[in-house]
């Protein structure tokens, strides 16, 4: 029997319950008919125009993304705007869009557990709890390493992005306890300090919060690692697709009829950098 969008949505809801999303978030089914067949699922971090075109070219019936297309209210879906063109392209191309955002962040396995494994962690606990859900993780490496070594290993496990990885701290500083939060994380510095972490891996660190965090650390821990928003969250995609097929099979569906594909498009908005400096002692000019 053909797997329908309704079947796929039920499986995704089991993996990433909408009730676990933060109250401000917009998750779940955005476009699509629950009765339409699903034979190919495409996955990406962002539902950009290029990603939607890629999904259509590949014949995808369902596009699974981490970031919402319509997080804030809009009043038109005319193709005169990028949002409108995106919705039109999805509908005309018969591509359903499903979003798993903060509900995928808190899932296990999910966005943050994928990043935890990339950081070298085998076990972890919540970094902080908000609205009853664990946001971010913290755990210990099997053995301590220098900061530059830790970041070098992380870089090997993350997809490359133009901005690379930004680091604040002594390259030789000891790292054992790791806190992390995929995506934007400069609102969690208090929790990071309370966790006793030696390093905090996240993204989108702004100048003033990051500078203030380093001032509070007096040159010590926690060191900061800005791994990039797209890069830190893209690790989840392969796992999400594998889990979708597993849950479909457990529900009695023939998951072998569904093909999966992870987008090859880097949706990180930056294209190149100029003048980046190598590692050096913090505060040196």
């Amino acid at each position: 029997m053909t797997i329908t969008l309704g079947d796929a949505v039920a499986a995704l809801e089991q993996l990433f319950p909408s009730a676990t999303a933060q109250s401000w978030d917009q998750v779940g089914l955005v476009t699509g008919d629950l009765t339409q067949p699903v034979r190919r699922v495409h996955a990406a971090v962002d539902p950009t125009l290029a990603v939607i075109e890629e999904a259509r070219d590949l014949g995808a019936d369902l596009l699974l993304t981490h970031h919402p297309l319509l997080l804030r209210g809009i009043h038109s879906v005319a193709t005169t705007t990028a949002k409108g063109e995106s919705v039109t392209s999805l509908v005309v191309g018969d591509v359903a869009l499903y979003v798993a955002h903060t509900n995928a962040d808190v899932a296990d396995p999910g966005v943050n557990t994928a990043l935890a494994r990339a950081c070298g962690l085998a076990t972890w606990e919540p970094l902080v709890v908000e609205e009853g859900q664990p946001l971010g993780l913290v755990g210990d490496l099997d053995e301590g390493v220098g900061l530059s070594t830790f970041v070098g290993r992380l870089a090997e496990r993350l997809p490359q992005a133009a901005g690379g990885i930004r680091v604040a701290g002594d390259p030789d500083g000891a790292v054992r306890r790791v806190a992390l939060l995929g995506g934007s994380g400069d609102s969690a510095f208090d929790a990071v300090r309370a966790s006793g972490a030696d390093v905090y891996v996240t993204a989108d660190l702004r100048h003033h919060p990051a500078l203030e965090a380093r001032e509070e650390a007096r040159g010590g821990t926690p060191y900061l690692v800005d791994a990039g928003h797209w890069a830190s969250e893209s690790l989840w995609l392969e796992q999400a697709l594998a889990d979708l097929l597993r849950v479909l099979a457990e529900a009695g569906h023939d998951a072998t009829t569904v093909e999966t594909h992870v987008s090859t498009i880097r949706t990180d908005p930056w294209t190149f950098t100029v003048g980046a400096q190598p590692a050096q002692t913090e505060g040196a000019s």
Side-chain angles (χ1 to χ4, degrees):
M1 183 178 294
T2 302
I3 292 175
T4 67
L5 178 59
D7 297 327
V9 167
L12 289 167
E13 183 66 23
Q14 181 176 331
L15 289 165
F16 315 113
S18 297
T20 63
Q22 293 292 290
S23 59
W24 52 264
D25 206 1
Q26 299 294 335
V27 301
L29 189 63
V30 180
T31 64
D33 181 340
L34 291 177
T35 65
Q36 70 187 72
V38 172
R39 300 183 182 90
R40 187 174 184 86
V41 183
H42 194 53
V45 174
D46 301 282
T48 63
L49 286 166
V51 166
I52 294 169
E53 181 179 1
E54 180 186 44
R56 290 184 58 173
D57 289 344
L58 289 168
D61 305 296
L62 171 60
L63 173 59
L64 169 65
T65 67
H66 182 48
H67 291 146
L69 174 63
L70 305 173
L71 184 58
R72 297 176 179 84
I74 62 172
H75 306 286
S76 170
V77 292
T79 58
T80 51
T81 67
K83 295 291 186 185
E85 185 175 349
S86 297
V87 173
T88 299
S89 182
L90 287 164
V91 173
V92 171
D94 286 330
V95 180
L97 173 63
Y98 189 93
V99 173
H101 191 208
T102 52
N103 49 331
D105 288 336
V106 303
D108 186 3
V111 173
N112 284 318
T113 61
L115 181 57
R117 291 189 178 91
C119 288
L121 299 179
T123 60
W124 46 75
E125 60 190 42
L127 174 62
V128 64
V129 175
E130 292 189 11
E131 298 185 15
Q133 298 300 324
L135 296 185
L137 302 171
V138 61
D140 297 312
L141 301 173
D142 289 338
E143 59 181 30
V145 296
L147 177 61
S148 62
T149 298
F150 170 79
V151 177
R153 292 175 180 174
L154 177 61
E156 292 175 353
R157 296 162 183 161
L158 291 176
Q160 290 188 339
I165 298 177
R166 298 187 299 172
V167 185
D170 179 358
D172 298 321
V175 169
R176 180 70 182 270
R177 190 159 178 79
V178 180
L180 61 98
L181 179 61
S184 302
D186 62 15
S187 64
F189 284 133
D190 287 343
V192 172
R193 283 189 284 268
S195 74
D198 300 309
V199 65
Y200 180 37
V201 180
T202 187
D204 293 349
L205 292 179
R206 295 169 295 165
H207 175 87
H208 292 296
L211 183 60
E212 289 171 4
R214 294 307 299 141
E215 288 284 282
E216 289 296 332
R218 308 296 200 276
T221 60
Y223 304 125
L224 306 180
V225 175
D226 189 322
H229 199 128
W230 168 79
S232 66
E233 295 184 326
S234 63
L235 298 171
W236 163 74
L237 299 175
E238 290 279 4
Q239 182 68 57
L241 290 175
D243 287 338
L244 171 60
L245 296 182
R246 173 180 56 79
V247 172
L248 284 170
E250 290 172 352
H253 301 292
D254 183 4
T256 63
T257 64
V258 178
E259 298 180 14
T260 60
H261 187 268
V262 172
S263 176
T264 60
I265 296 174
R266 185 184 68 193
T267 55
D268 186 294
W270 307 109
T271 53
F272 66 93
T273 55
V274 176
Q277 69 179 23
Q280 61 180 6
T281 302
E282 188 174 37
S285 58

